[in-house]
Amino acid sequence: MTNHYDLAIVGGGPIGIACGLEAQKKGLSYLIIEKGTIVNSLFNYPVNMQFFSSSEKLEIDEIPFISKEAKPKRNEALEYYRRIVTSNKLNIHLFETVNQVKKLGDRFEVATSKRTYSAKNIIVATGFYDLPNQIHVAGENLPKVSHYYKDPHFYASQKLAIVGASNSAVDAALECYRKGADVTLIIRGPEVGQRVKYWVRPDIINRIKEGSITAYYNSNVIEILENEIVLDTLEGIVRLENDFVLALTGYMPNFEFLEQLGIHLSKDEKKLPHYNSDTMETNIEGLFLAGVICGGMETHKWFIENSRIHAQIIVSAILEKMQLAHKT
C-alpha cells in the first residue's frame, strides 16, 4: 500500500471537485482520481455548447463564476473549474483509471491503472457521459456512426442523420444545418422533446416547419448501411441517402462498476442506487455517491446546480463518524 487517505473521490468532474474542496477545507486527507482531464465530460461536450443553467447555479464552494452571458458556454466552464483546481492546489490525479475497489475491513483498497491506494471512505462521483445508450441496429458500429458530437464543421456538405429529440440532438441539428449539412432528424416520439432548452425549441420547430431540416416523427432506425439509413415510419419503410449518423440518444451511468462495488440497485428499469439521502452513504459503509449518478437511469434528475450540496453533506457525515469513533 503506497498511500492512505481519509477520503478517495472517484471522478474529477464539478461534483468531484466540490467534494475535494470541501474535504480540503475540513482538514481531511483526500485524493481525487480522474480517468481523463479536469472535468473530462465537460471537455468532451460539443465545442459550442451553452448550459441550461445560469453561471451562479454552476458555482461550487461559493466561488464566483463570471460569464459573458447569463448562461455560460463550455469554454467558460472549462476555465472556471480548471482555475478552481489549480488555484486551490487540489490533490487530483489525472488520466488514471480506477480498475477496482475492495472493502477490506474498515478501509477500502483502490487499484488504479497506475498504483494502489488505501482510503477510509470513498465517494463515487463519476457522472454518466461515458456509456451511450445504444440503438441496437445493424450497422451501428460502422465508422460513420457516432454517439458523440463535437464540431459542426466536420459535417459541412454532408447528408447527416441525427437520432434523438433532446438538447444534444437539437443543438447538433441546428449547428450542422447552419454549417451547410443536409440534416434529417429521426425522432421516436410525436414531437421535439419538451425538455429542450426553451430558447432553442422554437428555433428547431421553425426550421422543421420551413423545410430547412427534415424531421421524421414516430420513427425508428432499423438499419444503417454504408451509404444509406433505413427508417421505420408511420408511412412505412423509408431509405435515405446518408453520409454520417449521430445517434444522440443519451447516456447512462456505469452500473457494472456500481454493482462491482456492492451497491444495491433497484430492480426496475430506473436502476436507482441505494443510498441514504441524509448522508449520501450507500448500503456499503463508508461508500458514498455524489452527483448525477444518484439518479440511475433518470439522468435528468440531478445536475451540477442541485447536487453540488452533496459535497457538504458527505464530508459532514464523514466528520461526524470520525468524531464518534474518536469518542469511543
Side-chain angles (χ1 to χ4, degrees):
M1 208 63 61
T2 56
N3 295 290
H4 180 77
Y5 298 92
D6 294 323
L7 174 62
I9 301 161
V10 184
I15 304 305
I17 291 171
C19 292
L21 276 173
E22 188 67 17
Q24 185 166 280
K25 281 170 51 181
K26 296 300 172 63
L28 296 177
S29 61
Y30 73 94
L31 169 65
I32 304 171
I33 308 170
E34 167 54 54
K35 67 181 180 55
T37 188
I38 297 168
V39 291
N40 191 64
S41 291
L42 298 190
F43 175 75
N44 286 301
Y45 280 0
V47 292
N48 299 319
M49 192 210 75
Q50 187 171 30
F51 284 84
F52 190 92
S53 302
S54 53
S55 57
E56 74 275 5
K57 292 183 178 180
L58 299 175
E59 293 173 355
I60 54 177
D61 200 39
E62 298 183 350
I63 299 170
F65 184 172
I66 308 302
S67 57
K68 292 180 181 178
E69 302 176 54
K71 300 178 187 300
K73 294 189 175 180
R74 166 187 169 274
N75 64 321
E76 294 174 308
L78 293 180
E79 178 71 17
Y80 173 71
Y81 295 115
R82 182 177 68 248
R83 290 295 298 273
I84 287 177
V85 169
T86 56
S87 63
N88 288 280
K89 297 181 173 59
L90 293 186
N91 187 20
I92 183 169
H93 289 196
L94 302 172
F95 301 100
E96 186 169 343
T97 301
V98 172
N99 293 326
Q100 189 176 53
V101 177
K102 290 182 180 179
K103 184 75 182 288
L104 301 175
D106 63 348
R107 64 177 175 84
F108 294 88
E109 181 182 277
V110 183
T112 77
S113 55
K114 295 184 178 180
R115 54 184 68 85
T116 301
Y117 307 95
S118 171
K120 183 70 173 176
N121 301 278
I122 301 285
I123 298 175
V124 178
T126 49
F128 68 99
Y129 196 60
D130 294 323
L131 295 174
N133 293 323
Q134 302 290 314
I135 57 176
H136 303 292
V137 299
E140 186 171 7
N141 295 322
L142 287 172
K144 73 173 191 175
V145 181
S146 177
H147 290 275
Y148 294 92
Y149 163 68
K150 194 72 174 179
D151 193 315
H153 175 83
F154 183 83
Y155 300 103
S157 301
Q158 299 296 292
K159 294 184 183 300
L160 172 65
I162 299 176
V163 185
S166 63
N167 279 298
S168 56
V170 168
D171 284 345
L174 289 169
E175 287 186 5
C176 292
Y177 151 67
R178 292 193 166 107
K179 296 300 182 184
D182 180 357
V183 177
T184 298
L185 262 176
I186 301 147
I187 299 173
R188 184 172 56 183
E191 61 179 354
V192 173
Q194 288 291 333
R195 287 197 291 268
V196 169
K197 289 171 282 195
Y198 65 84
W199 66 93
V200 173
R201 197 168 188 273
D203 190 3
I204 187 67
I205 290 172
N206 287 331
R207 300 296 74 75
I208 292 170
K209 284 183 178 178
E210 72 185 15
S212 298
I213 293 174
T214 302
Y216 285 89
Y217 297 108
N218 299 298
S219 300
N220 292 288
V221 178
I222 56 176
E223 188 176 10
I224 302 170
L225 304 170
E226 288 288 349
N227 300 304
E228 288 184 315
I229 184 168
V230 185
L231 312 181
D232 182 9
T233 76
L234 292 179
E235 288 74 39
I237 302 301
V238 174
R239 305 178 75 94
L240 303 175
E241 289 185 35
N242 174 256
D243 298 307
F244 290 98
V245 176
L246 283 171
L248 303 179
T249 49
Y251 309 92
M252 62 179 169
N254 189 339
F255 294 115
E256 182 179 351
F257 179 61
L258 296 182
E259 289 176 326
Q260 286 174 353
L261 294 173
I263 296 173
H264 294 162
L265 304 178
S266 66
K267 301 301 182 181
D268 57 18
E269 68 279 358
K270 294 179 181 179
K271 294 188 176 181
L272 297 171
H274 174 84
Y275 65 92
N276 182 339
S277 59
D278 291 331
T279 63
M280 309 308 295
E281 190 171 23
T282 68
N283 55 283
I284 305 297
E285 185 178 0
L287 179 56
F288 301 81
L289 297 181
V292 70
I293 199 166
C294 298
M297 286 298 294
E298 296 183 311
T299 54
H300 61 281
K301 289 291 184 68
W302 292 101
F303 304 95
I304 297 170
E305 63 183 74
N306 67 352
S307 63
R308 53 189 175 174
I309 190 64
H310 290 172
Q312 296 175 1
I313 294 172
I314 294 170
V315 171
S316 294
I318 291 172
L319 288 172
E320 184 175 343
K321 288 170 59 174
M322 291 174 69
Q323 289 169 357
L324 287 173
H326 181 71
K327 288 179 181 178
T328 57

